[in-house]
Amino acid sequence: MKTQVMTFKINKSYEHWEKNFDSHREIQAAAGMTPLYRGRSEDDPQKVCIVVRMADEEKAANFMEENKDAILESGHILETTERSVYILSLIHISEPTRRRGISYAVLCLKK
């Protein structure tokens, strides 16, 4: 499975975009897309980043085209979109050795 990191600008509030994005979980899942993370830039509140696990890049591209109107309504400025696709694997999970509840996962990139 591949992971896509996408950044783009929005022309509406982040809260509006977020609500729209979250309301499409079912159709994202039907397209083989599992959102892992979403958030905005610390430096630019109009810049958004999402990380999505994809079963099929072609289905994900079709999802974007078929839902273009809803994506535009969310405030996503399509021409600002930058995509990177990675093949990620979990390489280590550590249980905390201290009493504090700290756990971490480290990911590596495969070419």
Side-chain angles (χ1 to χ4, degrees), residues 66-83:
E66 291 168 4
N67 295 283
K68 187 175 183 176
D69 291 340
I71 292 167
L72 288 170
E73 195 285 320
S74 75
H76 183 148
I77 304 170
L78 294 176
E79 59 271 12
T80 66
T81 304
E82 295 181 20
R83 292 182 180 87

Side-chain angles (χ1 to χ4, degrees), residues 29-74:
M33 299 166 60
T34 305
L36 302 174
Y37 300 99
R38 58 162 166 54
R40 61 183 151 203
S41 169
E42 191 172 53
D43 300 326
D44 180 356
Q46 297 305 113
K47 185 173 183 180
V48 174
C49 177
I50 61 173
V51 179
V52 179
R53 173 85 26 107
M54 300 180 301
D56 182 325
E57 283 184 76
E58 188 174 330
K59 282 178 90 173
N62 289 341
F63 169 87
M64 295 293 289
E65 187 58 38
E66 291 168 4
N67 295 283
K68 187 175 183 176
D69 291 340
I71 292 167
L72 288 170
E73 195 285 320
S74 75

Side-chain angles (χ1 to χ4, degrees), residues 89-106:
S89 62
L90 188 62
I91 59 170
H92 182 73
I93 297 177
S94 175
E95 289 301 319
T97 55
R98 293 177 266 173
R99 299 186 111 188
R100 289 189 259 162
I102 301 172
S103 295
Y104 64 92
V106 179

